[in-house]
Every structure is written in structure tokens, then in C-alpha cells.
Amino acid sequence: MKISIVEIGEPLPLEENVRLLRYGNFCRYLASKGHEVTWWTSSFSHMPKKHLVDSTQKITINGHNFWILYGGGYTSNVSLARIHHNRVFARKYSVMARQEEKPDIIISPLPTIENAMASLEMAQEWKIPILTDIRDEWPDEIVNLLPWLLRPLGRLALGSSFKNMKAFCRQVDGIMAVSMRQLNYGLSFAGRPQNKSDHVFPLGYPIVEVEKTQLENAQKELQEAFNPGRFQLNVCFFGTLGRYFEFDSLAQAARQLPDVGFIVAGDGDKREALTKHLIEGHTEAVIDLVEFHHRG
């Protein structure tokens, strides 16, 4: 089966020292099952905020194809520049995909709605099925960044995004999601109950082969971080250090609980600010920032 996947934002296997996420692993899995997979993506890498290539090109890695479309970029995740980047990509994708042999099915995850609407138009034109995949509660998550009193204005400003979400979810052939909550979120836009074409598709990762020395070093680092005699209690956070997590409370708790150890593991846009915020001005508490790397 020829499968076309339209996703921008996740790490690509051509990047060094990255952990592949949902679609990096999914594409590799589909290719291993004999499917012909083409992943349409952007030259601009979301996490490091840089271009991976300097021109539009098609490459093959891990048994599946990548169409990497050059252009755009942004410095802030929530910005007009990112919206412009998404729209430019969707226009390029819409033109170039029509020059390729049509796929048997399109998978267009949300976000972004710009890619999704372009994919829907082509799927209807080619009379092929299209699936979406709800990964975030977008665009509500943008509205929820605002103070309570401003959220009605936020929904009004994003009126076209909510309208497009409703139109898209009502016309796709099936909805996937990372959890039941996200599936219900997509179905709320579709305005219908779950049917046999809608599924929860949980996050999953392949088994990683770890060298003995890597394992020994990791165990030593963890033993030092979780030294049972150092604190009465250890509180851990493992995840993305992004804007959707509220870390101010963590700093306040650390200041008031000097006998509690706080271990934060992860990376993201707020890593630098979080490190400074946790360490500076909070000498009463000892806070460790531990960074784990996946080297596969």
C-alpha cells in the first residue's frame, strides 16, 4: 500500500542524536511491513529551530521516503511566524504532492490544520481515504495559554481555526488519537460518536539495545541523583520542558522544602529558563537538573 504521511515538527532520522517520536517510529514500522511510505515534512526542525537542508529534496532513510520541503522557520512556538511557516508548507505540499503518483491513503495528523485541509482536498480529489491523528488538543491549547478572562477573546480570534477543525474532522474517514481523551476531543469536532474507523493508537517505542558501558554509566548517574541518604523524599519530573507545564510551583516548593530533592529530566524550549529559575535565588534547596540522552 502507498501511504502518504503529512507531518511537520517531529525529529527526523537525518538529525544527529535524536530520539524518534510517534511518526519516526510509525513510518519505520510501516516500511518494515512492506508498505511504500512517503513522509512529507519541513526542512525546518522544530526543537533546535534550524533548517536541516538548504533546498527541497527527496531522500530515503529507514526504508521509507521523505519529501523535505524547504522554507519558512520561526523562533517562537506560539507566533505569527509559525503560522506563516505552516501555511507556506501547506501550499508547497499541495502543489508538489499533485506531481507525484497518488497514494492509496493519506494520514494527516493534527496539528497542523493547514496541512490537514490541504490533505483533505487532495484525498477528495483523488477519491482515496484520509485519516487524522489527534496528538494535542489544538486549538484549545492555544486558548488555554491565555488568562481566564481573555479566553473568550482567544476563541473569537481563532474562530477560523475552530471552524476548520470542525470541517476537517467531519469529513475524514477515521480518527486516531494518542489517548481516549484526545479521541473524544476529535469526535467532538466531528459531531458524532466513535465508530469502527476511530481508534486510540497509544504512544510506543521500539526496544533499544543499550551497550553495557552506557547502562553502567546511567546507573551510576541515577544512584548519585537518587541517593537515599541525601533527601527524605525525591520528587521527579520526566517530560518535555515546554510552555505547557507550570514550573513556578516547583521552584516555590523547593524553596520551602529543603529536605526534598527535585530531579527534573528532559529537554525543551524552557530548559535554559527553568535551569536559571530553579538554581538562582533558591540556595535553600538543592535541585538537580539531570539530562538523559537516547543514543540509538
Side-chain angles (χ1 to χ4, degrees):
M1 179 181 290
K2 291 183 175 62
I3 302 173
S4 183
I5 293 176
V6 190
E7 195 283 333
I8 58 177
E10 286 195 8
L12 302 179
L14 60 89
E15 300 180 65
E16 296 183 356
N17 296 325
V18 297
R19 176 170 59 89
L20 296 181
L21 301 181
R22 187 169 176 82
Y23 278 91
N25 287 306
F26 190 32
C27 285
R28 186 160 55 183
Y29 172 79
L30 291 172
S32 72
K33 296 299 181 181
H35 299 290
E36 184 178 331
V37 182
T38 298
W39 182 352
W40 293 86
T41 189
S42 171
S43 65
F44 187 75
S45 182
H46 174 72
M47 286 298 295
K49 302 290 187 295
K50 67 178 184 179
H51 286 282
L52 302 176
V53 295
D54 56 10
S55 63
T56 294
Q57 53 189 273
K58 186 178 184 179
I59 62 176
T60 300
I61 302 177
N62 294 336
H64 56 279
N65 302 316
F66 291 83
W67 259 115
I68 305 176
L69 307 187
Y70 183 82
Y74 47 89
T75 57
S76 175
N77 289 349
V78 181
S79 63
L80 293 176
R82 187 177 185 184
I83 294 173
H84 178 69
H85 169 265
N86 294 344
R87 290 175 177 174
V88 168
F89 175 86
R91 287 197 295 268
K92 286 189 174 183
Y93 156 65
S94 183
V95 171
M96 295 194 65
R98 285 181 168 88
Q99 299 172 4
E100 296 285 291
E101 183 179 354
K102 76 173 184 179
D104 297 312
I105 188 171
I106 298 175
I107 301 175
S108 189
L110 290 168
T112 65
I113 191 61
E114 294 86 358
N115 300 339
M117 295 302 289
S119 297
L120 177 64
E121 182 180 335
M122 281 184 279
Q124 293 177 338
E125 177 184 321
W126 292 331
K127 295 181 173 55
I128 62 172
I130 178 172
L131 301 177
T132 192
D133 182 13
I134 309 295
R135 302 175 297 172
D136 298 309
E137 295 182 12
W138 186 94
D140 277 286
E141 66 176 22
I142 303 298
V143 175
N144 292 339
L145 291 174
L146 300 172
W148 281 99
L149 294 177
L150 296 179
R151 290 181 184 181
L153 292 177
R155 292 186 69 87
L156 183 63
L158 292 172
S160 61
S161 297
F162 282 96
K163 181 179 178 181
N164 286 336
M165 274 290 291
K166 183 178 293 187
F168 178 69
C169 291
R170 288 186 174 183
Q171 296 181 73
V172 295
D173 296 281
I175 299 176
M176 299 188 297
V178 297
S179 70
M180 197 65 220
R181 170 171 169 155
Q182 271 68 46
L183 179 57
N184 287 331
Y185 183 76
L187 292 172
S188 70
F189 284 100
R192 61 173 176 79
Q194 181 179 357
N195 62 35
K196 63 180 182 180
S197 297
D198 308 316
H199 300 279
V200 172
F201 178 36
L203 297 173
Y205 297 92
I207 297 175
V208 178
E209 296 293 334
V210 180
E211 295 180 4
K212 183 178 179 180
T213 55
Q214 289 179 297
L215 182 60
E216 290 174 348
N217 290 337
Q219 289 175 335
K220 181 179 179 181
E221 187 176 9
L222 285 173
Q223 286 172 356
E224 292 175 354
F226 291 90
N227 186 341
R230 191 174 181 184
F231 299 109
Q232 294 182 1
L233 175 69
N234 284 310
V235 178
C236 307
F237 173 87
F238 300 91
T240 302
L241 308 182
R243 67 175 62 245
Y244 300 109
F245 293 102
E246 193 276 294
F247 291 106
D248 290 340
S249 298
L250 177 64
Q252 293 175 12
R255 185 168 61 251
Q256 298 177 39
L257 301 170
D259 294 330
V260 177
F262 293 83
I263 294 90
V264 180
D267 203 356
D269 296 333
K270 293 186 68 175
R271 186 182 192 280
E272 184 176 350
L274 174 62
T275 304
K276 181 178 180 181
H277 186 54
L278 289 179
I279 295 176
E280 291 186 1
H282 301 297
T283 55
E284 304 95 324
V286 179
I287 302 173
D288 295 314
L289 186 67
V290 183
E291 182 180 8
F292 292 91
H293 295 280
H294 165 67
R295 303 182 186 277

